[in-house]
């Protein structure tokens, strides 16, 4: 970390700052320039809150050299993380396709969808049991019963399952779940993240609607620092001024996160766009940008299960899309263009 | 709610939509215009997810007439909510000033700050015990011990206390806490909100960094629908492209939220700006815009307690600011200018 | 357009509103619902300012059915616009690659780059003559001299040229230019747009940094309403809270704009990311999402021409990227996945 | 400027960078730290494009010490700029109130409004002649005729006038105009800014919808570097995700801009909110935050002149608001609270 001080800083404040930094175990190298003074810090600066130093009177700017995340950092682990689940894997050159309904509604529905998406090439089954809804009056998912139905679909198809956990007390119901999803609204629920670091299941961590890449990686770090290093990062759209799509799917997150971190990165074009018509194009874009996978909502009867199905595509559209995604992955994955 | 359909909607889809709406207990009034068809819905539409209808093929647009929040809605309770805590109140013409350190550090510190801010005119003591930090390696607050010290400060000064709760398991430690704060990052931690609806203490609900006014009010509704109607809304800055201040303090939230809801609205200029130099001006602006109160970080030794103190103002600046805020409140509160 | 009125609107205001709407040549259909009154407007509502009606006391909401743009609207011209320039075209299934330096610097440079990019598969030469720079102290481009050098490169290679026009007085220098670029900062310079509607050259219109899709299409409409319908839309990144990339390249703009309009859509990953390392992935993503083309900065000596070259890729990287973009276009363009 | 390099930068690239910096007239001080290398630059770095250095392979970060604006910079001119117009002034402790209709419509209208707002305490008359409208089909203002009517209102009341100029060719019509307004959409129309630097009239420069404080000050610098230092900065709302108000009025811009620059800062709550109900509160907030003035739309018959009047307040509301703004200014201006 480099701290750039204002011209002629007040001496006592400067001494206080240096003492405090040294008390944190850092060695402080002072470079007196002609027009400004720069402090270079050597040591583990991940504990230092940059915003807070920035706010000091005598400080003109702070620039981190070492990213505040360590275990999630590409610099300290150049090899891509590969996560094995059931007979499949996420990362390491595989294109993972997670598909399934927004909400698990019945045994018939979930098994039919699971079989359909498996046949089309999905490798993991998604399905909502506990649903985060912005209104207390909206349907909140079938909870434990939905988890039981997901297990049946897993038995029927062999597909591993991923579903969202909203609070820690639900964890005891997740025995048969293969990947625990943390939703965008819980991306900075730090207590939840910490506890997920103390269990073994892989975690699919969705990016918060206004989270920076660094904040997403710091949330991954919360889980990893507890001992669980099997994290899948998921871009699902950020909040911008544009209202045509529900969110703005930030495809740049794919190459950026893969550059900053060794963790696998997937994209959710269903929530990221909120419009069925945009999903195929954006799924294709995600794969072309280098994503390790996709999470796509598929529902067998959007017209009947009206609301839960409206941002879902139907199995027949999925059946045409999935092979095209795999063909595209072949073309783009074969050989990367870098400097 | 009004649903505007595309020209010549597919008949089966239209019938499905109408059936589904009626199954939700709504009566559907169909208005056939020359160039479009409009469905007017009568009944409680708060359970209907507007985004999802919007996503249907046959739908051109949806416009909510009735807001999706009920208990928080100004329309159904024109009287301002007034929340009584200890010997003071929030709302109802009072200017509430909550002040205190970012983190509670020691008995000496918290009692000194509590006495100082009380003398200058603060009516509620704030202080952090459990701290949400974006890095797992940063100081996370003294937890239970800090709560004990806050109680001592409360006894010494008579000031009611407000502090943040990060997860439900901490609630048993909050017996002596007067107002439970829900932080911006937990604004959509729906399970936490629900549980806070089942207890009696007032809740100070901070707006999420990218939450709309409606989403903030829906989160209040989660708590209120459980039975606890003592909610204080808090604007603390939103995320925008401007990086000079840590967040962009959205002062418009004050008149807007007071127009939409009967709940009291306070402003946190400390987190909202992240810069000591901006706090006095923005505190003044909040009062002039009609805020019911302020939450301001005050620390007795920002130079020593470096990091936790850097966005805090010192007691002597607070001592000059608080009376000016009260004078301003006198001027602006005496007579409102409305159409 | 549908206007939803507040319950029991003040009669005189309502009569005024209806009279005013009728005075604009619209017929007003009044639908009295049980809980609200809806006005349906028939006629050309493109002249009606929705924001302003929205702001009226008696109005609860306004919903446009008919988009405010007409000539740019897909609904009124289902066939894709194809723009012919020199021996090539933009739109209609072609993948257009525009490449060249940020600034034209010398005859040697521009001819070398033009030859290199042509050989690798570029079909149009880009090069900056008049440069919009946020600082008055920065290099502003070589102007007329640069235009002369671009002409020489065009003669040498046969590539049509595209370059930015910053004000109308420069138009007389653009005789040999094939496509006039309007920069993001001038996207709502309405006087400039109007004048460009009265000349014949195709216009490449870049999206403003905080412009919605509708605003971009309205700016296209300004040009088209003057008589020039040869507009190429260009996504080049929007402003968000994320600071890792210079802007957030909004790939969703590609399928969205192609759905809303018949105009060709290209993507500029150089300005949209500001980082060489992200350009190849984002160029691939744009093609996979269905873009009609790309605009890429290529410089033959970024190390020497330091500043103008830093977000540019080198000819050898371009030589590896361009054929991959064409291969990808083959795969993705052959068959589209739609509902 | 401080450039922080990546560990072990490639030698040739480093030498190229240093040579290039020196060729720009800077002296480069090299500080070799244990884990990183820092280059400190001495000299006029305002010509250096920080983004572009940031994009170099060998660079980890760039931190500007010296702001890129000079003439607009508070550091080089600690005294507040005061701009005299007619018998009034902007800045220097005065509260300037600019009021008048969105569009000038008739002699009767503009003279009636001018007399009304003067009586209530406005010191400058605003009125639209050339109107930037997002649709080519919307009313674009009465142009030259409106300017003639503004002159009549000026003669009748003695109020100086401010109105928007959209392109340079209109300047010859502005003889009797006292302050030239540059709209938000033209804030980075650099050719227009340059030309306004070569004439004498004060310029009211509105902040672009997604412009940072630094970009606004750089646009002021464009005008000032041409010789015209009479610039009034105007905050008028930025684009965010919140849709309740038309824009998000950024009140923090007031103390921030006054800290960064010596130029006067005013606020436009009419365009910044787009809702009459929010204007009084936000006008009060702006004054409390330290604004030098306000620009408020006032129309004598919003019901008749429907569209142009809808975000305007009526003269009687203005007559109640203006004295309260002056009373507030007395209270807040008497004594500032700073560290």
């Amino acid at each position: 970390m480099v701290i750039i001080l204002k011209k002629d800083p007040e001496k006592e404040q400067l001494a206080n700052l240096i003492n405090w930094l040294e008390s944190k175990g850092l060695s402080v190298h002072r470079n007196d320039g002609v027009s400004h003074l720069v402090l270079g810090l050597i040591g583990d600066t991940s504990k230092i809150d940059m915003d807070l130093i920035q706010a000091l009177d005598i400080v003109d700017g702070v620039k981190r050299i070492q990213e505040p995340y360590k275990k999630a950092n590409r610099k300290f682990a150049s090899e891509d993380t590969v996560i094995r689940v059931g007979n499949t894997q996420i990362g390491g050159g595989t294109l993972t396709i997670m598909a399934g309904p927004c909400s698990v509604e019945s045994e018939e529905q979930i098994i039919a969808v699971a079989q359909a998406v498996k046949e089309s090439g999905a490798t993991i089954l998604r399905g909502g049991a506990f649903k985060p809804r912005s209104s207390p009056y909206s349907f909140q998912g079938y909870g434990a019963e939905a988890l039981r139905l997901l297990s049946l679909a897993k038995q029927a198809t062999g597909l591993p399952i991923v579903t969202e956990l909203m609070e820690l007390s639900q964890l005891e119901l997740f025995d048969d779940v293969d990947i625990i999803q943390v939703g965008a609204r819980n991306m900075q629920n730090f207590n939840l993240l910490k506890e997920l670091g103390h269990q073994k299941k892989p975690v699919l961590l969705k990016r918060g609607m206004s989270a920076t890449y660094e904040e997403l990686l710091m949330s991954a770090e919360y889980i990893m620092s507890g001992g669980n290093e099997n994290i899948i990062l998921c871009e699902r759209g950020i909040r911008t001024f544009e209202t045509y799509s529900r969110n703005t799917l930030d495809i740049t997150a794919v190459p950026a996160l893969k550059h900053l971190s060794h963790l696998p990165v997937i994209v959710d074009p269903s929530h990221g766009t909120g419009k069925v018509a945009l999903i195929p194009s954006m799924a294709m874009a995600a794969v072309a940008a280098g994503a390790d996978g996709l999470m796509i909502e598929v529902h067998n009867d959007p017209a009947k299960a009206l609301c839960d199905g409206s941002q879902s595509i139907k199995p027949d559209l999925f059946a045409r899309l999935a092979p095209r995604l795999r063909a595209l992955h072949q073309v783009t994955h074969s050989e990367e263009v870098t400097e």
Side-chain angles (χ1 to χ4, degrees), chain A:
Chain A
M1 189 179 278
V2 170
I3 302 174
I4 301 147
L5 296 161
K6 286 185 182 153
K7 216 176 161 177
D8 303 324
E10 206 263 308
K11 276 186 186 175
E12 199 193 316
Q13 286 185 287
L14 176 59
N16 280 343
L17 173 59
I18 292 174
N19 286 341
W20 179 84
L21 291 166
E22 289 176 344
S23 78
K24 298 287 179 189
L26 300 168
S27 71
V28 180
H29 289 244
R30 181 177 167 152
N31 296 312
D32 288 87
V34 174
S35 70
H36 46 265
L37 174 62
V38 175
L39 302 181
L41 310 185
I42 312 299
D44 177 7
T45 59
S46 58
K47 280 167 236 157
I48 306 298
D49 188 332
M50 197 167 131
D51 273 354
L52 296 168
I53 292 181
Q54 181 87 51
L56 290 176
D57 275 1
I58 57 170
V59 171
D60 208 277
V62 182
K63 183 82 205 168
R64 216 183 256 288
I65 310 294
Q66 184 188 319
E67 290 85 4
Y69 42 95
K70 291 186 286 192
K71 288 174 178 290
N73 200 327
R74 168 72 75 186
K75 284 185 191 155
F76 306 131
S78 58
E79 200 102 331
D80 280 358
T81 291
V82 178
I83 297 172
R84 268 164 247 284
V85 185
N87 294 319
T88 186
Q89 67 177 39
I90 299 113
T94 306
L95 181 70
T96 297
I97 304 184
M98 306 180 180
C102 180
S103 275
V104 177
E105 289 162 24
S106 68
E107 183 175 338
E108 190 194 350
Q109 171 236 23
I110 190 65
I111 289 183
V113 173
Q115 286 171 334
V117 299
K118 184 187 180 185
E119 201 162 309
S120 304
T123 48
I124 296 179
L125 176 65
R126 60 144 292 153
F130 298 100
K131 305 292 305 166
R133 303 300 299 273
S134 56
S135 167
Y137 308 118
S138 295
F139 172 59
Q140 316 261 324
Y142 287 115
E145 171 62 7
L147 290 174
R148 193 183 66 82
L149 299 178
L150 279 171
S151 283
L152 295 180
K154 179 179 172 176
Q155 284 163 33
T157 59
L159 291 178
I161 53 184
V162 55
T163 194
E164 181 165 352
L165 177 124
M166 285 180 69
E167 68 169 355
L168 214 62
S169 66
Q170 295 160 353
L171 190 56
E172 59 183 31
L173 301 167
F174 274 58
D175 265 3
D176 203 33
V177 170
D178 298 279
I179 303 174
I180 298 173
Q181 179 176 319
V182 173
R185 291 171 180 82
N186 271 327
M187 193 203 85
Q188 293 194 317
N189 181 340
F190 300 121
N191 292 61
L192 184 64
L193 300 179
K194 271 183 217 170
E195 293 301 328
L196 292 177
H198 298 135
Q199 55 84 50
K200 296 277 183 195
K201 288 184 195 294
V203 176
L204 189 158
L205 181 64
K206 287 198 157 185
R207 181 183 182 190
M209 269 189 292
S210 62
T212 60
Y213 304 150
E214 185 173 299
E215 287 169 337
L216 173 58
L217 291 170
M218 288 308 289
S219 287
E221 191 81 11
Y222 255 98
I223 305 172
M224 296 173 89
S225 67
N228 181 357
E229 304 203 353
N230 288 321
I231 314 295
I232 303 151
L233 304 172
C234 181
E235 163 63 29
R236 47 76 72 211
I238 57 172
R239 196 153 259 190
T240 70
F241 58 85
E242 178 61 66
T243 57
Y244 180 79
S245 51
R246 196 183 309 169
N247 293 114
T248 295
L249 195 64
D250 177 17
I251 295 290
T252 310
V254 175
L257 289 171
K258 291 189 78 65
H259 178 76
L260 295 169
S261 177
H262 49 86
L263 296 172
V265 179
I266 71 165
V267 171
D268 173 351
S270 303
H271 287 88
T273 64
K275 276 194 153 70
V276 167
L278 298 170
I279 293 174
S281 300
M282 296 313 290
M284 296 288 277
V287 172
D292 295 296
L294 293 161
M295 177 175 249
I296 299 177
E297 282 190 13
V298 177
H299 199 288
N300 57 346
D301 191 357
K304 184 178 163 211
L306 186 78
C307 277
D308 294 314
S310 64
Q311 77 185 348
S312 300
I313 62 177
K314 294 179 196 168
D316 65 323
L317 175 55
F318 181 75
R320 280 176 290 141
L321 177 60
R324 282 177 60 75
L325 294 171
R326 295 221 174 272
L328 177 62
H329 184 248
Q330 285 286 334
V331 173
T332 56
H333 194 74
S334 56
E335 168 201 357
E336 249 183 287
V337 180
T338 53
E339 284 173 277

